[in-house]
Amino acid sequence: MAATEILSRADIVKAPEVRVVPRTDKPSLIGLLREDMAKLLVERGVPERQVKMRVSQLWHWLYVRGVSDFDEMSNVSKDMREMLKEHFTIARPEIVEEQVSNDGTRKWLLRFPPRGAGRPVEIETVYIPEEGRGTLCISSQVGCTLTCSFCHTGTQKLVRNLTAEEILSQLLLARDRLGDFPERDTPQGAIVPAEGRKITNIVMMGMGEPLYNFENVKTALLIASDGDGLSLSKRRITLSTSGIVPEIYRTGEEIGVMLAISLHAVKDELRDMLVPINKKYPLNELMEACRAYPGLSNARRITFEYVMLKDVNDSLEDAKELVKLLKGIPAKINLIPFNPWPGTNYQCSDWEQIEKFADFINQAGYASPIRTPRGRDILAACGQLKSESERMRKVDRLAFEAMMIANHGED
Ligand code: SAH
Ligand code: SF4
């Protein structure tokens, strides 16, 4: 898409009523496992014999009802609410900006406090509605320590890991804004699935490498999938990694969500250049970890992401090798048209070539959806969300071609 098209932003609707929440330094009760929440309550004088009941009450209010104000917790006594207010917060993060694309894609720019020295940080969360599902793309870090050569996030330094609260808050806030909690209204004219939940799937495909922030990502995803709370099925949560092999094993054992691998090359020599973590965890080790991933079947496949880079990894020879490499692994292949950014030396493969590549792997028996560009007008691009720390010049941002995800997780 030409940059001029991106410059015509007439269809962007700025969402009304964006609340600016005053932050406090109080610890949040969001993003804590039950036992950690219990500990905090006991420290504040809640009797041991009551604590389990109190945690269940809070859990229900926070994750089923989605409240962000202690005063809404109508079955919690006034004294208890006062105590909670004095010592804790359950406020949502600050929304700097909310944009809605004409295709219904929504993007929130959120600001989190510095956590120690430094400046506040900003991250993006993106919602993509499709027929029968709504996918939320969540960030795990501000920036990334890895330096994949085709990824814009890879050119930004890691500023910090997001906390479990900050990861989970992206989901809570999106559910607030979409009216996806009981007794909440969906904004007029919003494009959402016709029935049921507005957010049906989560993908950890925003900014950052989730497996380099393992503990916080794990906690957030365990809470998101908890059956007494947010209740998202683990089959509808997909974690995307560039291939941090030891943590792939741990993801299978300790989190149990669906896995997506940013493969992008089928030979070590090329993958070393595109995804440099490959030098540490080469393809044979990565494939071994994939084969060992628990619970794989035709209904539960690993997604392999493959960015289409002109004359780099897009030949039919590559397609052939790809099929060979994945042999025996229940797999889906996601071909991603490369999304160029200012200063990159790569180009997106020609559409014809992408189709030829897709046909080849289809014939080999793999469904290989090509990701449909979404939310172009609001620059909602997974894999290259920007951060405040190294904010691009506006003119550069506008030169982005935005591309969005589709076809992740189970229906
Ligand atoms: N760090 C994780 C998750 C975030 S990236 C990972 O690498 O898997 C989400 C996906 O977008 C990854 O497959 C990533 O390789 C891809 N991506 C990054 N930059 C891109 C670009 N410019 N064009 C297309 N896809 C890109
Ligand atoms: Fe980091 Fe993923 Fe980008 Fe690589 S592709 S630099 S791992 S965000």
Side-chain angles (χ1 to χ4, degrees):
M1 186 169 64
T4 45
E5 276 178 65
I6 303 163
L7 287 167
S8 81
R9 291 154 66 93
D11 293 320
I12 303 170
V13 187
K14 265 200 115 176
E17 302 166 47
V18 172
R19 288 171 309 157
V20 176
V21 184
R23 288 292 317 181
T24 74
D25 291 335
K26 294 173 190 171
S28 178
L29 289 181
I30 309 266
L32 299 172
L33 294 174
R34 284 187 179 78
E35 57 267 31
D36 296 322
M37 195 190 280
K39 257 189 228 150
L40 285 184
L41 295 184
V42 170
E43 278 170 20
R44 293 293 166 194
V46 174
E48 291 274 3
R49 64 190 147 70
Q50 270 188 20
V51 85
K52 204 165 165 223
M53 180 273 285
R54 292 295 182 200
V55 168
S56 307
Q57 263 182 338
L58 283 168
W59 201 265
H60 183 83
W61 283 112
L62 295 178
Y63 300 129
V64 177
R65 307 293 292 272
V67 308
S68 49
D69 180 346
F70 288 114
D71 281 331
E72 285 183 58
M73 300 182 168
S74 53
N75 65 352
V76 175
S77 73
K78 187 137 194 306
D79 287 353
M80 175 83 180
R81 273 188 272 147
E82 289 306 317
M83 182 284 278
L84 292 171
K85 264 192 256 179
E86 193 186 332
H87 298 291
F88 305 107
T89 176
I90 51 173
R92 297 285 187 257
E94 181 184 336
I95 304 177
V96 180
E97 194 175 31
E98 176 176 53
Q99 291 188 329
V100 188
S101 158
N102 54 2
D103 66 13
T105 302
R106 276 167 194 258
K107 187 174 79 170
W108 294 275
L109 180 63
L110 305 180
R111 183 175 294 149
F112 295 117
R115 313 262 176 220
R119 286 182 293 164
V121 294
E122 288 178 2
I123 57 107
E124 285 176 355
T125 305
V126 179
Y127 173 70
I128 314 109
E130 291 170 280
E131 191 75 39
R133 80 160 104 191
T135 305
L136 192 70
C137 178
I138 293 183
S139 294
S140 57
Q141 299 183 309
V142 186
C144 187
T145 47
L146 300 180
T147 51
C148 302
S149 53
F150 55 89
C151 173
H152 187 250
T153 307
T155 66
Q156 307 176 350
K157 286 196 204 85
L158 176 77
V159 178
R160 69 170 173 84
N161 282 333
L162 294 180
T163 64
E165 178 214 346
E166 291 164 340
I167 296 166
L168 198 62
S169 288
Q170 298 173 57
L171 171 61
L172 297 178
L173 182 133
R175 292 194 66 184
D176 273 357
R177 300 297 299 166
L178 294 165
D180 202 17
F181 280 118
E183 296 159 41
R184 300 289 176 79
D185 294 329
T186 303
Q188 272 213 330
I191 300 175
V192 292
E195 284 169 24
R197 299 171 71 145
K198 316 289 183 281
I199 296 174
T200 57
N201 294 55
I202 309 181
V203 293
M204 296 299 300
M205 290 186 188
M207 195 189 274
E209 168 49 59
L211 295 189
Y212 273 159
N213 185 14
F214 188 85
E215 292 304 330
N216 291 332
V217 166
K218 172 181 165 183
T219 303
L221 294 185
L222 290 180
I223 296 174
S225 57
D226 184 283
D228 292 323
L230 290 158
S231 279
L232 268 163
S233 154
K234 288 183 180 177
R235 297 179 54 156
R236 290 171 175 268
I237 301 177
T238 303
L239 183 150
S240 173
T241 177
S242 55
I244 318 299
V245 166
E247 272 68 37
I248 292 177
Y249 288 101
R250 288 189 64 196
T251 303
E253 285 155 23
E254 301 175 36
I255 316 181
V257 293
M258 308 292 287
L259 193 63
I261 302 286
S262 293
L263 189 65
H264 309 316
V266 288
K267 294 251 166 71
D268 281 322
E269 205 187 350
L270 179 60
R271 198 163 188 271
D272 283 351
M273 287 192 318
L274 298 181
V275 186
I277 195 67
N278 192 69
K279 290 185 212 148
K280 192 163 179 194
Y281 304 114
L283 281 167
N284 63 342
E285 290 180 27
L286 179 58
M287 289 303 131
E288 210 176 296
C290 289
R291 277 175 220 284
Y293 200 74
L296 291 185
S297 68
N298 271 347
R300 277 178 58 108
R301 300 172 201 225
I302 295 180
T303 301
F304 289 89
E305 295 157 284
Y306 197 93
V307 63
M308 298 300 289
L309 301 168
K310 186 173 178 154
D311 299 333
V312 174
N313 65 354
D314 63 350
S315 71
L316 285 184
E317 194 50 40
D318 289 302
K320 215 163 147 186
E321 288 296 319
L322 177 59
V323 169
K324 246 197 207 157
L325 188 71
L326 301 186
K327 206 161 186 264
I329 305 177
K332 282 191 270 195
I333 300 167
N334 246 322
L335 299 181
I336 315 176
F338 171 63
N339 190 12
W341 38 274
T344 179
N345 292 324
Y346 296 108
Q347 283 175 291
C348 183
S349 307
D350 296 330
W351 197 252
E352 231 174 55
Q353 189 60 24
I354 299 182
E355 284 192 332
K356 271 194 208 153
F357 198 104
D359 282 349
F360 185 92
I361 51 187
N362 280 336
Q363 271 162 25
Y366 291 97
S368 58
I370 304 166
R371 279 187 191 175
T372 341
R374 295 293 303 268
R376 284 169 187 258
D377 50 352
I378 57 169
L379 307 168
C382 249
Q384 48 198 322
L385 303 179
K386 59 145 194 27
S387 76
E388 168 67 15
S389 61
E390 239 170 273
R391 182 170 243 168
M392 295 165 63
R393 287 184 305 138
K394 195 162 180 209
V395 57
D396 289 348
R397 282 186 64 199
L398 290 173
F400 263 71
E401 179 177 326
M403 166 288 299
M404 223 27 242
I405 49 141
N407 288 301
H408 287 284
E410 298 303 304
D411 287 330

